[in-house]
Amino acid sequence: EKGGYEHFMLKEIEEQPTAVRDTLRGRFTATGEIALDEVRLSDQDLRDTDKVFIVACGTSYHAGLVAKYAIEHWTRLPCEVELASEFRYRDPVLDRSTLVIVISQSGETMDTIMALRHAKEQKARVLAISNTVGSTIPRESDAVLYTRAGLEVAVASTKAFLTQLVACYLVGLHLAQIRGVKYADEVAAILDELAAMPEKIQTVLAAMDPVRELARSLAGVQPVLFIGRHVGYPVALEGALKLKELAYLHAEGFAAGELKHGPISLIEDGTPVVVIVPSPRGRGLLHDKVVSNIQEVKARGAKVIAVAEDGDTAVVPHADEVVYVPVVPTLLAPLLTAVPLQVFACEVAGALGLEIDQPRNLAKSVTVE
Ligand code: F6R
């Protein structure tokens, strides 16, 4: 059932173009509107939303962190993202005009279930994104959008993560449509870009040999730092989580702008720093700021591995290695930039002779709080 692959994780990484394509299939109505799978509330309920919370754990939480950028941009609703295990213990401000989006691959994560129940007790509306039809979380929610990643066997989440990102984008666009779209042209363009994504993910996957080689040459070196800005920041967190859980190495993700506020002191001669470089076409000069960050870590001896957009030559003089990914709108870039980090972690763990599909101390579904 591993279909010729040595590990499920490798198979599931390779299945990502298909998983993304499946998650997009048939999601639009004849009039171009995005439809959820199950809806037990009215469009008016969604229209009345004045605040969004996203609640999840682990990798699903990282998908939520990416979603915040898209949802706030497209809907102009304030959106907060919180770890499920923290959410209900701090008395969050919730009422019937709050939309709580819970993200859970398994649909059975106890921390997330308890957060969902707390939100419902406070009369908030709950929308679930899950990969498991009929599991507890979608059953207890007011609306559901299923990811269609198929069964994910490896404990470390890969294809589920990419499909969660897709589902988050769809929910963001759905909310924008329901609320009256301010960015109508942008929504149509984003849908086209999403449709083109499976092929672009395939392009990334086809170019992973240098990443594997790099991973083998760095296997065991720690710490490994991951830095990014904007949507690249959650990708950095996810890259670090993958390396921690699979290779048992100290890995940390940081917002690149925070480096100088502390973490830069970790850098020694040869410390690997993986940098998610924003598109040079993006707003706010973030690209140039990240190139400066690269120079700062480089000057302190870091070995810089940049994940950058095709054609971005500005990083070349400063980075030790550059992994290029196809050009896409900034908000969608995590669907591509996360992939080399998954491959990197998987390959490091393999080089260290570790059990890739079943890392120590971890379970696929965490059904205790
Ligand atoms: C990491 C990983 C975990 C899960 C987390 C939430 O690779 O798999 O961090 O993402 O336990 O699980 P779900 O999404 O099932 O609620």
Side-chain angles (χ1 to χ4, degrees):
E1 35 183 292
K2 285 182 196 157
Y5 290 94
E6 212 179 320
H7 307 285
F8 279 107
M9 186 177 174
L10 288 175
K11 175 169 176 269
E12 289 163 1
I13 288 173
E14 295 292 331
E15 282 171 350
Q16 292 184 115
T18 307
V20 165
R21 191 174 295 116
D22 288 347
T23 300
L24 286 167
R25 183 172 296 127
R27 294 298 196 196
F28 321 112
T29 64
T31 49
E33 266 129 46
I34 292 152
L36 302 173
D37 291 316
E38 292 169 22
V39 191
R40 297 177 275 271
L41 41 68
S42 68
D43 281 3
Q44 192 57 44
D45 290 331
L46 285 180
R47 221 169 272 130
D48 289 342
T49 300
D50 61 14
K51 171 153 195 172
V52 179
F53 276 103
I54 303 178
V55 181
C57 305
T59 290
S60 301
Y61 169 72
H62 296 154
L65 289 175
V66 173
K68 173 189 166 83
Y69 293 85
I71 289 176
E72 289 199 336
H73 179 64
W74 292 332
T75 70
R76 307 312 298 153
L77 285 168
C79 177
E80 278 185 53
V81 192
E82 192 149 353
L83 292 166
S85 56
E86 288 293 320
F87 181 68
R88 78 188 171 113
Y89 294 103
R90 64 164 186 89
D91 197 13
V93 181
L94 301 164
D95 60 34
R96 56 183 69 252
S97 51
T98 314
L99 179 67
V100 178
I101 301 175
V102 291
I103 308 174
S104 175
Q105 186 283 129
S106 63
E108 299 295 350
T109 298
M110 191 50 75
D111 286 311
T112 313
I113 293 173
M114 296 313 282
L116 178 163
R117 289 181 183 157
H118 181 75
K120 294 213 74 175
E121 274 162 26
Q122 309 292 309
K123 306 284 183 251
R125 321 285 176 175
V126 179
L127 188 157
I129 292 174
S130 178
N131 196 43
T132 313
V133 176
S135 57
T136 304
I137 286 171
R139 270 203 329 266
E140 295 192 14
S141 298
D142 300 306
V144 187
L145 186 66
Y146 285 107
T147 51
R148 300 189 190 125
L151 186 65
E152 192 177 61
V153 177
V155 165
S157 183
T158 54
K159 62 176 180 170
F161 177 64
L162 257 58
T163 61
Q164 286 168 341
L165 293 176
V166 170
C168 286
Y169 295 132
L170 292 173
V171 165
L173 296 172
H174 177 69
L175 286 175
Q177 286 179 332
I178 282 211
R179 292 169 54 77
V181 191
K182 198 172 156 201
Y183 295 100
D185 295 350
E186 196 173 328
V187 170
I190 290 283
L191 289 177
D192 287 346
E193 291 282 355
L194 278 173
M197 214 39 99
E199 229 170 283
K200 291 183 177 174
I201 298 167
Q202 195 61 57
T203 304
V204 175
L205 287 169
M208 285 296 95
D209 281 348
V211 173
R212 289 193 190 96
E213 209 176 296
L214 185 68
R216 285 194 293 272
S217 74
L218 290 173
V221 176
Q222 58 181 342
V224 180
L225 309 186
F226 294 77
I227 62 172
R229 294 184 79 124
H230 192 261
V231 291
Y233 168 41
V235 172
L237 296 177
E238 174 61 7
L241 177 60
K242 288 277 101 70
L243 195 58
K244 278 182 249 202
E245 64 181 331
L246 289 161
Y248 318 150
L249 294 171
H250 180 209
E252 288 293 327
F254 300 108
E258 273 295 291
L259 270 183
K260 58 184 174 299
H261 300 290
I264 199 163
S265 61
L266 285 167
I267 295 182
E268 294 178 359
D269 209 26
T271 302
V273 180
V274 179
V275 188
I276 319 303
V277 185
S279 165
R281 300 163 303 105
R283 70 189 85 205
L285 302 177
L286 282 188
H287 172 269
D288 298 1
K289 288 186 176 146
V290 171
V291 173
S292 303
N293 293 141
I294 292 177
Q295 289 171 280
E296 283 154 20
V297 297
K298 192 71 213 159
R300 287 158 181 87
K303 180 175 172 70
V304 174
I305 301 135
V307 179
E309 185 181 274
D310 274 340
D312 182 355
T313 48
V315 292
V316 175
H318 312 296
D320 295 278
E321 307 280 343
V322 185
V323 181
Y324 283 110
V325 300
V327 176
V328 289
T330 294
L331 286 169
L332 304 189
L335 284 169
L336 302 181
T337 53
V339 174
L341 310 193
Q342 299 168 339
V343 172
F344 182 80
C346 191
E347 195 68 26
V348 170
L352 295 174
L354 301 172
E355 175 48 64
I356 288 175
D357 289 335
Q358 273 292 346
R360 68 184 180 201
N361 307 340
L362 293 172
K364 184 67 188 161
S365 179
V366 184
T367 52
V368 290
E369 241 195 299

